[in-house]
Amino acid sequence: MIPAKVLIGDDSVTVRMSLRDAFVAQGYQVLTAESGEEAIELLRSESVDVMVLDLVMPGKSGVDVLRETKADETLVSI
């Protein structure tokens, strides 16, 4: 069975790495992004099952990423 792939988007390196370590320890594949823009780029280039997003990031917030994802028919199922 292929493990689920999680995208963690957070501008705090401490939070990103802590969440990454927790998910990896449970067997998940993990991608990390330090900005909303980077998260969108990864979503367009990688197959992702679930996102964990910081609500407040410079540039595109987690809410902006979620809105953009839900408006794109190729990403809406995430």
Side-chain angles (χ1 to χ4, degrees):
M1 185 166 138
I2 299 172
K5 192 180 293 184
V6 178
L7 170 64
I8 299 168
D10 199 303
D11 57 325
S12 165
V13 67
T14 304
V15 172
R16 271 195 325 273
M17 296 306 104
S18 295
L19 286 172
R20 182 200 64 194
D21 292 347
F23 278 104
V24 167
Q26 294 299 312
Y28 294 93
Q29 294 180 8
V30 178
L31 301 170
T32 61
E34 64 180 283
S35 68
E37 291 83 359
E38 186 178 357
I40 291 292
E41 287 177 26
L42 284 169
L43 290 168
R44 294 192 190 291
S45 66
E46 298 279 341
S47 175
V48 174
D49 299 299
V50 67
M51 300 179 286
V52 178
L53 300 168
D54 183 5
L55 292 179
V56 180
M57 292 186 282
K60 289 185 181 183
S61 70
V63 173
D64 294 332
V65 172
L66 183 60
R67 284 185 183 133
E68 194 167 330
T69 302
K70 294 305 174 189
D72 185 325
E73 65 185 46
T74 63
L75 302 174
V76 72
S77 66
I78 298 172

